[in-house]
Coordinates of all heavy atoms in Angstrom, one line a residue:
M1 N 24.5 -30.2 -23.6 CA 24.5 -29.1 -22.6 C 24.9 -27.8 -23.3 O 25.7 -27.9 -24.1 CB 25.4 -29.4 -21.4 CG 24.9 -30.4 -20.4 SD 25.7 -30.1 -18.9 CE 24.5 -30.6 -17.8
S2 N 24.1 -26.8 -22.8 CA 24.4 -25.5 -23.4 C 25.5 -24.8 -22.7 O 25.6 -24.9 -21.5 CB 23.1 -24.7 -23.4 OG 23.3 -23.4 -23.7
N3 N 26.3 -24.0 -23.3 CA 27.3 -23.2 -22.8 C 26.8 -21.8 -22.4 O 27.5 -20.9 -21.9 CB 28.5 -23.0 -23.7 CG 29.4 -24.2 -23.8 OD1 29.5 -24.9 -22.9 ND2 30.0 -24.5 -25.1
H4 N 25.4 -21.6 -22.5 CA 24.8 -20.4 -22.2 C 24.5 -20.6 -20.7 O 24.7 -21.5 -20.0 CB 23.7 -20.1 -23.0 CG 24.0 -19.9 -24.5 ND1 24.6 -18.7 -24.9 CD2 23.9 -20.6 -25.6 CE1 24.8 -18.8 -26.2 NE2 24.4 -19.9 -26.7
T5 N 23.8 -19.6 -20.2 CA 23.5 -19.5 -18.7 C 22.0 -19.5 -18.5 O 21.3 -18.7 -19.2 CB 24.2 -18.2 -18.1 OG1 25.6 -18.3 -18.3 CG2 23.9 -18.2 -16.6
L6 N 21.6 -20.1 -17.5 CA 20.2 -20.1 -17.1 C 20.1 -19.3 -15.9 O 20.8 -19.5 -14.9 CB 19.7 -21.5 -16.8 CG 18.3 -21.6 -16.2 CD1 17.2 -21.2 -17.2 CD2 18.0 -23.1 -15.8
Y7 N 19.4 -18.2 -15.9 CA 19.2 -17.4 -14.8 C 17.8 -17.6 -14.1 O 16.9 -17.5 -14.7 CB 19.3 -15.9 -15.2 CG 20.6 -15.5 -15.7 CD1 20.9 -15.4 -17.2 CD2 21.6 -15.2 -14.9 CE1 22.1 -15.1 -17.7 CE2 22.9 -14.8 -15.5 CZ 23.1 -14.8 -16.8 OH 24.3 -14.5 -17.3
L8 N 18.0 -17.9 -12.8 CA 16.7 -18.0 -12.0 C 16.5 -16.9 -11.1 O 17.4 -16.5 -10.2 CB 17.0 -19.3 -11.0 CG 17.3 -20.5 -11.6 CD1 17.5 -21.6 -10.6 CD2 16.3 -20.9 -12.7
I9 N 15.6 -16.1 -11.4 CA 15.3 -14.8 -10.7 C 14.3 -15.1 -9.6 O 13.1 -15.4 -9.8 CB 14.7 -13.7 -11.7 CG1 15.5 -13.7 -12.9 CG2 14.5 -12.4 -11.0 CD1 16.9 -13.3 -12.7
Q10 N 14.8 -15.0 -8.3 CA 14.1 -15.5 -7.2 C 14.0 -14.4 -6.2 O 13.8 -14.6 -5.0 CB 14.7 -16.8 -6.6 CG 14.8 -17.9 -7.4 CD 15.7 -19.1 -6.8 OE1 16.9 -18.9 -6.6 NE2 15.0 -20.1 -6.3
S11 N 13.9 -13.1 -6.6 CA 14.1 -12.0 -5.7 C 12.6 -11.6 -5.3 O 11.6 -12.1 -5.8 CB 14.7 -10.8 -6.4 OG 14.1 -10.6 -7.7
T12 N 12.6 -10.7 -4.3 CA 11.4 -10.2 -3.8 C 10.8 -9.3 -5.0 O 11.6 -8.8 -5.8 CB 11.5 -9.4 -2.5 OG1 12.4 -8.3 -2.7 CG2 12.0 -10.3 -1.4
Y13 N 9.6 -8.9 -4.8 CA 9.0 -7.9 -5.7 C 9.8 -6.6 -5.8 O 10.1 -6.2 -6.9 CB 7.6 -7.6 -5.4 CG 6.9 -6.5 -6.2 CD1 6.5 -6.8 -7.4 CD2 6.8 -5.2 -5.8 CE1 6.0 -5.8 -8.4 CE2 6.2 -4.2 -6.6 CZ 5.8 -4.6 -7.8 OH 5.3 -3.6 -8.6
A14 N 10.2 -6.1 -4.6 CA 10.9 -4.8 -4.6 C 12.3 -4.8 -5.2 O 12.8 -3.9 -5.6 CB 11.0 -4.3 -3.1
A15 N 12.9 -6.1 -5.0 CA 14.4 -6.1 -5.4 C 14.4 -6.5 -6.9 O 15.5 -6.4 -7.5 CB 15.1 -7.2 -4.5
T16 N 13.4 -7.0 -7.5 CA 13.5 -7.6 -8.9 C 13.9 -6.5 -9.9 O 14.6 -6.8 -10.9 CB 12.0 -8.3 -9.2 OG1 11.8 -9.3 -8.3 CG2 12.1 -8.8 -10.6
T17 N 13.3 -5.3 -9.8 CA 13.8 -4.3 -10.9 C 15.3 -4.1 -10.9 O 15.8 -4.1 -11.9 CB 13.1 -3.1 -10.5 OG1 11.6 -3.2 -10.6 CG2 13.4 -2.0 -11.5
Q18 N 15.9 -4.0 -9.7 CA 17.3 -3.8 -9.7 C 18.0 -5.0 -10.2 O 19.0 -4.9 -11.0 CB 17.9 -3.5 -8.3 CG 19.3 -3.3 -8.2 CD 19.7 -3.1 -6.8 OE1 18.9 -3.1 -5.8 NE2 21.0 -2.8 -6.6
I19 N 17.6 -6.2 -9.9 CA 18.2 -7.4 -10.4 C 18.1 -7.5 -11.9 O 19.0 -7.9 -12.6 CB 17.6 -8.6 -9.8 CG1 18.2 -8.6 -8.3 CG2 18.0 -10.0 -10.5 CD1 17.7 -9.7 -7.5
L20 N 16.9 -7.2 -12.5 CA 16.7 -7.3 -13.9 C 17.6 -6.2 -14.6 O 18.1 -6.5 -15.7 CB 15.2 -7.2 -14.4 CG 14.3 -8.3 -13.8 CD1 12.9 -8.0 -14.1 CD2 14.8 -9.5 -14.5
D21 N 17.7 -5.0 -14.1 CA 18.7 -4.0 -14.6 C 20.1 -4.6 -14.7 O 20.8 -4.4 -15.7 CB 18.5 -2.7 -13.8 CG 17.2 -2.0 -14.0 OD1 16.5 -2.3 -15.0 OD2 17.0 -1.1 -13.1
Q22 N 20.5 -5.2 -13.7 CA 21.9 -5.8 -13.6 C 22.0 -7.0 -14.6 O 22.9 -7.1 -15.4 CB 22.2 -6.5 -12.3 CG 22.4 -5.5 -11.2 CD 22.5 -6.1 -9.8 OE1 22.3 -7.2 -9.7 NE2 22.8 -5.3 -8.8
L23 N 20.9 -7.8 -14.6 CA 21.0 -8.9 -15.6 C 21.0 -8.4 -17.1 O 21.7 -9.0 -18.0 CB 19.8 -9.8 -15.5 CG 19.6 -11.0 -16.4 CD1 20.8 -11.9 -16.3 CD2 18.3 -11.8 -16.1
A24 N 20.4 -7.3 -17.5 CA 20.4 -6.8 -18.7 C 21.8 -6.3 -19.3 O 22.1 -6.4 -20.4 CB 19.5 -5.5 -18.8
Q25 N 22.7 -6.1 -18.3 CA 24.0 -5.7 -18.7 C 24.9 -6.9 -19.1 O 25.9 -6.7 -19.8 CB 24.7 -5.1 -17.4 CG 24.0 -3.7 -17.1 CD 24.6 -3.1 -15.9 OE1 25.7 -3.5 -15.4 NE2 24.0 -2.2 -15.3
F26 N 24.6 -8.1 -18.6 CA 25.5 -9.2 -19.0 C 24.8 -10.4 -19.7 O 25.3 -11.4 -20.0 CB 26.3 -9.8 -17.8 CG 25.6 -10.0 -16.6 CD1 25.0 -11.2 -16.4 CD2 25.6 -9.0 -15.6 CE1 24.3 -11.4 -15.2 CE2 24.9 -9.3 -14.4 CZ 24.3 -10.4 -14.2
Y27 N 23.5 -10.3 -19.9 CA 22.7 -11.3 -20.6 C 23.2 -11.4 -22.1 O 23.4 -10.4 -22.7 CB 21.2 -10.9 -20.5 CG 20.4 -11.9 -21.3 CD1 19.7 -13.0 -20.6 CD2 20.0 -11.8 -22.7 CE1 19.0 -13.8 -21.2 CE2 19.2 -12.6 -23.3 CZ 18.6 -13.7 -22.6 OH 17.8 -14.5 -23.3
T28 N 23.4 -12.6 -22.6 CA 23.7 -12.8 -24.0 C 22.7 -13.7 -24.7 O 22.0 -14.4 -24.0 CB 25.2 -13.4 -24.1 OG1 25.1 -14.7 -23.6 CG2 26.2 -12.5 -23.5
T29 N 22.5 -13.5 -26.0 CA 21.6 -14.3 -26.7 C 22.0 -15.8 -26.5 O 23.1 -16.3 -26.5 CB 21.8 -14.0 -28.2 OG1 21.6 -12.6 -28.4 CG2 20.8 -14.8 -29.1
G30 N 20.9 -16.5 -26.2 CA 21.0 -18.0 -25.9 C 20.9 -18.2 -24.5 O 20.6 -19.4 -24.1
D31 N 21.1 -17.2 -23.6 CA 20.8 -17.4 -22.1 C 19.3 -17.5 -22.0 O 18.5 -17.1 -22.9 CB 21.3 -16.2 -21.3 CG 22.8 -16.1 -21.3 OD1 23.5 -17.1 -21.7 OD2 23.3 -15.0 -20.9
Q32 N 18.9 -18.1 -20.8 CA 17.4 -18.2 -20.6 C 17.1 -17.6 -19.2 O 18.0 -17.6 -18.3 CB 16.9 -19.6 -20.7 CG 17.0 -20.2 -22.0 CD 16.0 -19.6 -23.0 OE1 14.8 -19.5 -22.7 NE2 16.4 -19.4 -24.2
V33 N 15.9 -17.1 -19.0 CA 15.5 -16.6 -17.7 C 14.3 -17.4 -17.2 O 13.3 -17.5 -18.0 CB 15.2 -15.1 -17.9 CG1 14.6 -14.4 -16.6 CG2 16.4 -14.3 -18.3
V34 N 14.2 -17.6 -15.9 CA 13.2 -18.2 -15.2 C 12.8 -17.3 -14.2 O 13.6 -16.9 -13.2 CB 13.3 -19.6 -14.6 CG1 12.2 -20.2 -13.9 CG2 13.8 -20.6 -15.7
L35 N 11.6 -16.7 -14.1 CA 11.0 -15.9 -13.0 C 10.4 -16.8 -12.0 O 9.6 -17.6 -12.4 CB 9.9 -14.8 -13.5 CG 10.5 -13.8 -14.5 CD1 9.4 -12.9 -14.9 CD2 11.7 -13.0 -13.9
M36 N 10.7 -16.5 -10.7 CA 10.1 -17.5 -9.6 C 9.6 -16.6 -8.5 O 10.1 -15.5 -8.3 CB 11.2 -18.4 -9.2 CG 11.9 -19.2 -10.3 SD 13.3 -20.1 -9.7 CE 12.4 -21.6 -9.0
G37 N 8.5 -17.0 -7.9 CA 7.9 -16.4 -6.8 C 7.4 -15.0 -7.1 O 6.8 -14.7 -8.1
E38 N 7.7 -14.0 -6.2 CA 7.3 -12.6 -6.4 C 7.8 -11.9 -7.7 O 7.3 -11.0 -8.2 CB 7.6 -11.8 -5.2 CG 6.9 -12.1 -4.0 CD 7.3 -11.4 -2.8 OE1 7.8 -10.1 -3.0 OE2 7.2 -11.8 -1.6
A39 N 9.0 -12.5 -8.2 CA 9.6 -11.9 -9.3 C 8.6 -11.9 -10.5 O 8.8 -11.0 -11.4 CB 10.9 -12.6 -9.6
V40 N 7.8 -12.8 -10.6 CA 6.8 -12.8 -11.8 C 6.0 -11.6 -11.8 O 5.5 -11.2 -12.9 CB 5.9 -14.1 -11.8 CG1 6.7 -15.3 -11.9 CG2 4.9 -14.1 -10.6
L41 N 5.8 -10.8 -10.7 CA 5.0 -9.7 -10.8 C 5.7 -8.4 -11.5 O 5.0 -7.5 -11.8 CB 4.7 -9.3 -9.3 CG 3.8 -10.3 -8.5 CD1 3.7 -9.8 -7.1 CD2 2.5 -10.5 -9.2
Q42 N 7.0 -8.6 -11.9 CA 7.6 -7.6 -12.5 C 7.7 -7.9 -14.1 O 8.7 -7.5 -14.8 CB 9.1 -7.5 -11.9 CG 9.1 -6.9 -10.7 CD 8.8 -5.3 -10.6 OE1 8.5 -4.8 -11.7 NE2 8.8 -4.8 -9.5
L43 N 6.8 -8.8 -14.5 CA 6.9 -9.3 -15.9 C 6.8 -8.1 -16.9 O 7.4 -8.2 -18.1 CB 5.7 -10.1 -16.2 CG 5.6 -10.9 -17.5 CD1 6.8 -11.7 -17.6 CD2 4.4 -11.8 -17.5
E44 N 6.4 -7.0 -16.6 CA 6.3 -5.8 -17.5 C 7.7 -5.0 -17.6 O 7.7 -4.0 -18.4 CB 5.2 -4.8 -17.0 CG 3.8 -5.5 -17.1 CD 3.4 -6.0 -18.5 OE1 3.6 -5.2 -19.4 OE2 2.7 -7.0 -18.5
H45 N 8.7 -5.5 -17.0 CA 9.9 -4.8 -16.9 C 10.4 -4.7 -18.4 O 10.4 -5.7 -19.2 CB 10.9 -5.6 -16.1 CG 12.3 -4.8 -15.9 ND1 13.3 -4.9 -16.8 CD2 12.7 -4.0 -14.9 CE1 14.3 -4.1 -16.4 NE2 14.0 -3.6 -15.2
S46 N 11.1 -3.7 -18.9 CA 11.5 -3.4 -20.2 C 12.5 -4.5 -20.7 O 12.5 -4.9 -21.8 CB 12.1 -2.1 -20.4 OG 13.2 -1.9 -19.5
F47 N 13.4 -5.0 -19.8 CA 14.4 -6.0 -20.1 C 13.5 -7.3 -20.6 O 13.9 -7.9 -21.6 CB 15.4 -6.2 -19.1 CG 16.2 -7.4 -19.2 CD1 17.2 -7.5 -20.4 CD2 16.1 -8.6 -18.5 CE1 17.9 -8.6 -20.6 CE2 16.9 -9.8 -18.7 CZ 17.7 -9.7 -19.7
L48 N 12.6 -7.7 -19.7 CA 11.9 -8.9 -20.0 C 11.1 -8.9 -21.2 O 10.9 -9.7 -22.0 CB 11.0 -9.3 -18.8 CG 11.7 -9.6 -17.5 CD1 10.8 -9.8 -16.4 CD2 12.6 -10.7 -17.7
Q49 N 10.6 -7.6 -21.5 CA 9.8 -7.4 -22.8 C 10.7 -7.6 -24.0 O 10.1 -7.9 -25.1 CB 9.2 -6.0 -22.7 CG 8.1 -5.8 -21.6 CD 7.0 -6.7 -21.8 OE1 6.4 -6.9 -22.9 NE2 6.7 -7.4 -20.7
S50 N 11.9 -7.5 -23.9 CA 12.9 -7.4 -25.1 C 13.3 -8.9 -25.3 O 13.9 -9.3 -26.4 CB 14.1 -6.7 -24.8 OG 15.0 -7.2 -23.8
L51 N 13.0 -9.8 -24.4 CA 13.4 -11.2 -24.6 C 12.4 -12.0 -25.5 O 11.2 -11.8 -25.4 CB 13.5 -12.0 -23.2 CG 14.5 -11.3 -22.3 CD1 14.5 -12.1 -21.0 CD2 15.9 -11.4 -22.9
Q52 N 12.9 -13.0 -26.2 CA 11.9 -13.8 -27.0 C 11.2 -14.8 -26.1 O 10.0 -15.1 -26.5 CB 12.7 -14.6 -28.0 CG 13.3 -13.8 -29.2 CD 13.9 -14.7 -30.2 OE1 14.2 -15.9 -30.0 NE2 14.1 -14.1 -31.3
Q53 N 11.7 -15.3 -25.0 CA 11.1 -16.2 -24.2 C 11.5 -16.0 -22.8 O 12.6 -15.8 -22.4 CB 11.4 -17.6 -24.6 CG 10.6 -18.6 -23.9 CD 10.8 -20.0 -24.6 OE1 11.9 -20.5 -24.6 NE2 9.8 -20.6 -25.2
V54 N 10.5 -16.2 -21.9 CA 10.6 -16.0 -20.4 C 9.9 -17.2 -19.8 O 8.7 -17.3 -20.1 CB 10.1 -14.6 -19.8 CG1 10.2 -14.6 -18.3 CG2 10.8 -13.5 -20.4
H55 N 10.6 -17.9 -18.9 CA 9.9 -19.1 -18.3 C 9.4 -18.7 -16.9 O 10.0 -17.9 -16.2 CB 10.9 -20.1 -18.1 CG 11.7 -20.6 -19.3 ND1 11.1 -21.5 -20.2 CD2 12.8 -20.2 -19.9 CE1 11.9 -21.6 -21.2 NE2 12.9 -20.9 -21.0
I56 N 8.2 -19.3 -16.7 CA 7.6 -19.1 -15.3 C 7.0 -20.4 -14.9 O 6.4 -21.1 -15.7 CB 6.4 -18.0 -15.4 CG1 7.0 -16.7 -15.8 CG2 5.6 -18.0 -14.2 CD1 6.0 -15.5 -16.0
L57 N 7.2 -20.8 -13.6 CA 6.7 -22.0 -13.1 C 5.1 -21.8 -13.1 O 4.5 -20.8 -12.7 CB 7.1 -22.2 -11.7 CG 8.7 -22.5 -11.6 CD1 9.0 -22.7 -10.1 CD2 9.0 -23.8 -12.3
E58 N 4.4 -22.9 -13.4 CA 3.0 -22.9 -13.4 C 2.3 -22.4 -12.1 O 1.4 -21.7 -12.1 CB 2.3 -24.3 -13.7 CG 2.6 -24.7 -15.1 CD 2.1 -26.2 -15.4 OE1 1.9 -26.9 -14.6 OE2 1.9 -26.4 -16.6
N59 N 2.9 -22.8 -11.0 CA 2.4 -22.4 -9.7 C 2.6 -20.9 -9.4 O 1.6 -20.3 -8.9 CB 3.1 -23.2 -8.5 CG 2.7 -24.6 -8.5 OD1 1.8 -25.1 -9.2 ND2 3.3 -25.4 -7.6
D60 N 3.6 -20.3 -9.9 CA 3.9 -18.9 -9.8 C 3.0 -18.1 -10.8 O 2.6 -16.9 -10.4 CB 5.3 -18.6 -10.0 CG 6.2 -19.1 -8.9 OD1 5.7 -19.4 -7.7 OD2 7.4 -19.5 -9.2
A61 N 2.5 -18.6 -11.8 CA 1.8 -18.1 -12.8 C 0.4 -17.6 -12.3 O -0.3 -16.8 -12.8 CB 1.6 -18.9 -14.0
Q62 N 0.0 -18.4 -11.3 CA -1.4 -18.0 -10.6 C -1.4 -16.6 -10.0 O -2.4 -16.0 -9.8 CB -1.6 -19.0 -9.4 CG -1.8 -20.4 -10.0 CD -1.9 -21.4 -8.9 OE1 -2.2 -21.1 -7.7 NE2 -1.7 -22.7 -9.2
L63 N -0.2 -16.0 -9.8 CA -0.1 -14.6 -9.3 C -0.4 -13.6 -10.4 O -0.6 -12.5 -10.1 CB 1.3 -14.3 -8.8 CG 1.7 -15.1 -7.6 CD1 3.2 -14.9 -7.3 CD2 0.9 -14.8 -6.4
L64 N -0.4 -14.0 -11.7 CA -0.6 -13.1 -12.8 C -2.1 -13.2 -13.4 O -2.7 -14.2 -13.3 CB 0.4 -13.5 -13.9 CG 1.9 -13.4 -13.5 CD1 2.7 -13.9 -14.7 CD2 2.2 -11.9 -13.2
I65 N -2.3 -12.1 -14.1 CA -3.6 -12.1 -14.8 C -3.4 -12.7 -16.2 O -2.4 -12.5 -16.9 CB -4.1 -10.6 -14.9 CG1 -4.4 -10.0 -13.6 CG2 -5.3 -10.5 -15.9 CD1 -4.7 -8.5 -13.7
Q66 N -4.4 -13.5 -16.5 CA -4.2 -14.3 -17.8 C -5.0 -13.6 -18.8 O -6.0 -12.9 -18.4 CB -4.7 -15.7 -17.6 CG -3.8 -16.4 -16.7 CD -4.2 -17.9 -16.5 OE1 -4.9 -18.5 -17.4 NE2 -3.8 -18.5 -15.5
P67 N -4.9 -13.8 -20.0 CA -3.9 -14.5 -20.8 C -2.5 -13.9 -20.8 O -2.4 -12.7 -20.5 CB -4.4 -14.6 -22.2 CG -5.2 -13.2 -22.4 CD -5.7 -12.9 -21.1
F68 N -1.5 -14.8 -20.8 CA -0.2 -14.4 -20.8 C 0.4 -13.9 -22.2 O -0.1 -14.3 -23.1 CB 0.8 -15.5 -20.3 CG 0.3 -16.0 -19.1 CD1 -0.1 -17.3 -18.9 CD2 0.4 -15.3 -17.8 CE1 -0.5 -17.9 -17.7 CE2 0.0 -15.7 -16.7 CZ -0.5 -17.1 -16.5
P69 N 1.4 -13.0 -22.1 CA 2.0 -12.6 -23.4 C 2.5 -13.9 -24.1 O 2.9 -14.9 -23.4 CB 3.1 -11.7 -23.0 CG 2.7 -11.3 -21.7 CD 1.9 -12.3 -21.0
E70 N 2.7 -13.8 -25.4 CA 3.2 -15.1 -26.2 C 4.6 -15.5 -25.7 O 5.0 -16.6 -25.9 CB 3.2 -14.8 -27.7 CG 1.8 -14.6 -28.3 CD 1.8 -14.3 -29.8 OE1 2.9 -14.6 -30.4 OE2 0.9 -13.8 -30.2
Q71 N 5.4 -14.6 -25.3 CA 6.8 -14.9 -24.9 C 6.8 -15.8 -23.6 O 7.9 -16.3 -23.4 CB 7.6 -13.6 -24.7 CG 7.3 -12.9 -23.3 CD 7.9 -11.6 -23.2 OE1 7.3 -10.7 -23.4 NE2 9.1 -11.5 -22.9
I72 N 5.8 -15.9 -22.9 CA 5.8 -16.7 -21.6 C 5.7 -18.1 -21.9 O 4.8 -18.6 -22.7 CB 4.6 -16.2 -20.7 CG1 4.7 -14.7 -20.4 CG2 4.6 -17.1 -19.4 CD1 6.0 -14.4 -19.7
K73 N 6.6 -18.9 -21.3 CA 6.5 -20.4 -21.4 C 6.4 -20.9 -20.0 O 7.1 -20.7 -19.1 CB 7.8 -21.0 -22.0 CG 7.9 -22.5 -21.9 CD 8.5 -23.1 -23.0 CE 8.2 -24.5 -22.9 NZ 8.9 -25.5 -23.3
L74 N 5.2 -21.5 -19.7 CA 4.9 -22.0 -18.5 C 5.5 -23.4 -18.3 O 5.6 -24.2 -19.2 CB 3.4 -22.2 -18.3 CG 2.5 -20.9 -18.3 CD1 1.1 -21.3 -18.1 CD2 3.0 -20.0 -17.1
L75 N 6.2 -23.6 -17.1 CA 6.9 -24.8 -16.9 C 6.3 -25.6 -15.6 O 5.9 -24.9 -14.6 CB 8.3 -24.5 -16.4 CG 9.1 -23.8 -17.4 CD1 10.5 -23.5 -16.8 CD2 9.4 -24.6 -18.7
N76 N 6.0 -26.9 -15.7 CA 5.7 -27.7 -14.5 C 7.1 -28.1 -13.9 O 8.2 -27.7 -14.4 CB 4.8 -28.8 -14.8 CG 5.4 -29.8 -15.9 OD1 6.6 -30.0 -15.9 ND2 4.6 -30.4 -16.6
Y77 N 7.0 -28.7 -12.8 CA 8.3 -29.1 -12.1 C 9.2 -30.0 -12.9 O 10.4 -29.8 -12.9 CB 8.0 -29.6 -10.7 CG 7.6 -28.5 -9.8 CD1 6.3 -28.5 -9.2 CD2 8.4 -27.5 -9.5 CE1 5.8 -27.6 -8.4 CE2 7.9 -26.4 -8.6 CZ 6.7 -26.5 -8.1 OH 6.3 -25.4 -7.2
A78 N 8.7 -30.9 -13.7 CA 9.4 -31.7 -14.5 C 10.1 -31.0 -15.6 O 11.2 -31.2 -15.9 CB 8.5 -32.9 -15.1
D79 N 9.3 -30.0 -16.3 CA 9.9 -29.2 -17.3 C 11.0 -28.3 -16.8 O 12.0 -28.1 -17.4 CB 8.8 -28.2 -17.9 CG 7.7 -29.0 -18.6 OD1 7.9 -30.1 -19.1 OD2 6.6 -28.4 -18.7
F80 N 10.8 -27.8 -15.6 CA 11.9 -27.0 -14.9 C 13.1 -27.8 -14.7 O 14.2 -27.3 -15.1 CB 11.4 -26.4 -13.5 CG 12.4 -25.6 -12.8 CD1 12.8 -24.5 -13.3 CD2 12.8 -26.1 -11.6 CE1 13.8 -23.8 -12.6 CE2 13.7 -25.4 -10.9 CZ 14.2 -24.2 -11.4
A81 N 13.0 -29.0 -14.2 CA 14.2 -29.8 -14.0 C 14.8 -30.1 -15.4 O 16.1 -30.1 -15.5 CB 13.8 -31.1 -13.4
D82 N 14.1 -30.5 -16.4 CA 14.8 -30.7 -17.7 C 15.4 -29.4 -18.3 O 16.5 -29.6 -18.7 CB 13.6 -31.1 -18.7 CG 13.1 -32.5 -18.5 OD1 13.7 -33.3 -17.8 OD2 11.9 -32.7 -19.0
L83 N 14.9 -28.3 -18.1 CA 15.5 -27.0 -18.4 C 16.8 -26.8 -17.7 O 17.9 -26.5 -18.4 CB 14.6 -25.8 -18.3 CG 15.1 -24.5 -18.7 CD1 15.3 -24.4 -20.1 CD2 14.2 -23.4 -18.2
C84 N 16.8 -27.1 -16.4 CA 18.0 -26.8 -15.6 C 19.1 -27.8 -16.1 O 20.4 -27.4 -16.1 CB 17.8 -27.1 -14.1 SG 16.8 -25.9 -13.4
L85 N 18.8 -29.1 -16.5 CA 19.8 -30.0 -17.0 C 20.4 -29.7 -18.3 O 21.5 -30.3 -18.7 CB 19.2 -31.4 -16.9 CG 18.8 -31.9 -15.6 CD1 18.1 -33.3 -15.7 CD2 20.1 -32.2 -14.7
K86 N 19.8 -28.8 -19.0 CA 20.3 -28.4 -20.3 C 21.4 -27.3 -20.3 O 22.1 -27.1 -21.3 CB 19.2 -27.9 -21.2 CG 18.2 -28.8 -21.6 CD 17.0 -28.2 -22.4 CE 16.0 -29.2 -22.8 NZ 14.8 -28.7 -23.5
F87 N 21.7 -26.9 -19.1 CA 22.7 -25.8 -19.0 C 23.9 -26.2 -18.1 O 23.7 -26.9 -17.1 CB 22.0 -24.5 -18.3 CG 21.1 -23.8 -19.4 CD1 19.8 -24.3 -19.5 CD2 21.6 -22.8 -20.1 CE1 19.0 -23.6 -20.3 CE2 20.7 -22.1 -21.0 CZ 19.4 -22.6 -21.2
N88 N 25.0 -25.8 -18.5 CA 26.2 -25.9 -17.6 C 26.3 -25.0 -16.5 O 26.7 -25.3 -15.4 CB 27.5 -25.7 -18.5 CG 27.8 -26.8 -19.4 OD1 27.5 -28.0 -19.1 ND2 28.4 -26.5 -20.5
R89 N 25.7 -23.8 -16.6 CA 25.7 -22.7 -15.6 C 24.3 -22.3 -15.3 O 23.5 -22.0 -16.3 CB 26.4 -21.5 -16.1 CG 28.0 -21.6 -16.2 CD 28.6 -20.3 -16.6 NE 28.1 -19.9 -17.9 CZ 28.5 -20.2 -19.1 NH1 29.5 -21.1 -19.1 NH2 28.1 -19.7 -20.1
C90 N 24.0 -22.4 -14.0 CA 22.7 -21.9 -13.5 C 22.9 -20.9 -12.4 O 23.6 -21.3 -11.4 CB 21.9 -23.1 -13.1 SG 20.3 -22.7 -12.5
I91 N 22.5 -19.6 -12.5 CA 22.8 -18.6 -11.6 C 21.5 -18.2 -11.0 O 20.6 -17.8 -11.7 CB 23.5 -17.4 -12.2 CG1 24.8 -17.9 -12.8 CG2 23.7 -16.3 -11.2 CD1 25.6 -16.9 -13.5
S92 N 21.4 -18.3 -9.6 CA 20.2 -17.8 -9.0 C 20.5 -16.3 -8.5 O 21.5 -16.0 -7.9 CB 20.0 -18.6 -7.7 OG 19.0 -18.1 -6.8
M93 N 19.5 -15.5 -8.8 CA 19.7 -14.0 -8.4 C 18.5 -13.7 -7.5 O 17.4 -13.8 -7.7 CB 19.6 -13.2 -9.6 CG 20.7 -13.5 -10.6 SD 20.7 -12.6 -12.2 CE 21.4 -11.0 -11.5
K94 N 19.0 -13.3 -6.3 CA 17.9 -13.0 -5.2 C 18.1 -11.6 -4.7 O 19.1 -11.0 -4.6 CB 18.2 -14.0 -4.0 CG 18.0 -15.4 -4.5 CD 18.1 -16.3 -3.2 CE 18.0 -17.7 -3.7 NZ 18.2 -18.7 -2.7

């Protein structure tokens, strides 16, 4: 298990910018981010652009225009469960 943090961004489209600005203040290398629901629509946010990898559920990716940037890792539900189990801390930000 990782001592880093998995952040699940589950906010509305309107609230996501503020949440990502907050996350940028305490995110550390090794942490991971999963965008969920309407939050995927803020993929162009500068903080997300600075990350090497951003996870998105396959079902939520349907909201986006393809092709995706290289940093996007699509997850099915089994992949998502496996990712969650790799972390000691999982924080949901809404």
Side-chain angles (χ1 to χ4, degrees):
M1 285 198 149
S2 174
N3 285 328
H4 296 285
T5 304
L6 177 63
Y7 294 99
L8 306 178
I9 310 302
Q10 299 173 292
S11 54
T12 64
Y13 175 79
T16 302
T17 298
Q18 181 180 3
I19 287 174
L20 292 174
D21 290 342
Q22 291 173 352
L23 178 58
Q25 295 176 11
F26 49 84
Y27 178 91
T28 61
T29 302
D31 292 345
Q32 294 291 316
V33 174
V34 179
L35 296 178
M36 304 174 81
E38 293 178 28
V40 301
L41 298 173
Q42 292 285 2
L43 188 58
E44 298 299 319
H45 189 278
S46 59
F47 169 68
L48 295 175
Q49 295 300 309
S50 71
L51 300 179
Q52 288 185 343
Q53 191 171 61
V54 177
H55 302 278
I56 296 177
L57 296 173
E58 288 176 340
N59 288 355
D60 295 334
Q62 296 173 17
L63 297 171
L64 300 171
I65 297 172
Q66 297 180 21
F68 303 116
E70 291 181 22
Q71 77 190 100
I72 300 302
K73 173 145 189 207
L74 295 180
L75 303 173
N76 61 34
Y77 288 115
D79 295 333
F80 176 66
D82 289 341
L83 180 64
C84 290
L85 292 172
K86 291 179 182 177
F87 288 85
N88 285 329
R89 286 181 306 274
C90 182
I91 297 175
S92 174
M93 301 178 79
K94 297 179 182 180

